[in-house]
Amino acid sequence: MTATRVMVVDDHPLFRFGLCAALAERDDIQVVGEAAGGRAAISAAAALIPDVVVMDLHLPDLGGVEATRAITNATPSIGVLVLTMFDDSESVFNAMRSGARGYLLKGAEPEELVRAVHAVARGEAIFGQSIAAQVLRYFNGLPSTAATSFPELTGREREVLSLIAAGRNNTEIAQVLSLSGKTVRNHVSVIFGKLRVADRAQAIVRAREAGLGQRPGPT
């Protein structure tokens, strides 16, 4: 069986060394590289083309979400498995929107990590147990009308409208969706035009009536 080629990205040297050493003990995993920052990860991934990048989210120069997006956009065959301490809903959904296929918390059992690495290499989506429960709670909590309302909106516009309805301002929306402020303003303007509303308050009323604007529940 061909070993799964893995690259590890984490800014903590001891944790990165320990993770690389633990993975390298496996006959079915080959650690081909490592990086301590997002920009270095992008360069290394382009040079090494690993099957899986194990990615931390908190990195000193360029965050893990941005690095994941750059890597998966450049080489879609590379699977990214997020391994982080952050279990908040925004971190989870930002990572998945950026192209990550899996999300585990640091402290996961070694066998769980190995299973996740191989699953991501096969193109599957995988979550740690607590993260999976969180994702299910989120989608089970969405009203059925939310999925069918406003068919004139694109998926991204629906995301922006949902965040508007949740009370987020443009700066917060830009951070949540990893977009520029200008792009968010353009989306908001288009949404107002499509919904034929005059301002944010009217858009919030329309969206909440349709069931949009609900945030994922607490972990």
Side-chain angles (χ1 to χ4, degrees):
M1 182 179 66
T2 303
T4 299
R5 302 173 72 253
V6 176
M7 186 177 83
V8 174
V9 183
D10 197 287
D11 64 326
H12 293 285
L14 289 178
F15 181 85
R16 188 175 68 250
F17 175 81
L19 182 57
C20 288
L23 292 174
E25 291 179 352
R26 303 279 310 198
D27 293 334
D28 52 357
I29 291 177
Q30 178 187 5
V31 178
V32 296
E34 57 184 272
R39 298 188 191 284
I42 294 169
S43 298
L48 298 170
I49 314 295
D51 299 312
V52 177
V53 174
V54 179
M55 177 77 72
D56 190 13
L57 291 184
H58 187 270
L59 299 171
D61 56 346
L62 185 70
V65 167
E66 292 80 5
T68 295
R69 181 178 294 109
I71 290 170
T72 56
N73 283 345
T75 313
S77 63
I78 297 177
V80 174
L81 171 64
V82 170
L83 182 64
T84 182
M85 294 185 298
F86 298 111
D87 63 353
D88 61 285
S89 300
E90 288 183 9
S91 294
V92 175
F93 288 104
N94 281 346
M96 304 315 290
R97 289 189 191 100
S98 72
R101 295 181 194 164
Y103 200 107
L104 291 183
L105 297 181
K106 289 182 177 179
E109 293 295 327
E111 287 304 315
E112 182 180 12
L113 175 60
V114 169
R115 286 195 300 271
V117 165
H118 289 307
V120 167
R122 292 192 298 267
E124 300 173 10
I126 188 163
F127 302 93
Q129 185 174 356
S130 63
I131 300 300
Q134 184 181 145
V135 171
L136 288 173
R137 283 200 305 272
Y138 172 68
F139 284 108
N140 288 338
L142 288 177
S144 59
T145 55
T148 57
S149 299
F150 311 123
E152 66 271 32
L153 300 183
T154 65
R156 177 63 86 188
E157 289 165 357
R158 189 184 302 277
E159 288 178 327
V160 172
L161 179 59
S162 181
L163 289 168
I164 290 173
R168 301 298 183 93
N169 60 37
N170 285 3
T171 300
E172 291 171 329
I173 293 172
Q175 293 173 343
V176 170
L177 299 180
S178 297
L179 299 174
S180 70
K182 181 179 179 181
T183 298
V184 171
R185 290 193 296 273
N186 289 341
H187 280 312
V188 171
S189 178
V190 171
I191 290 167
F192 287 2
K194 288 184 177 181
L195 299 188
R196 298 184 179 181
V197 297
D199 55 29
R200 211 174 190 89
Q202 291 182 9
I204 289 173
V205 170
R206 290 283 308 279
R208 289 182 177 174
E209 286 176 346
L212 293 177
Q214 299 195 19
R215 299 188 188 187
T219 57

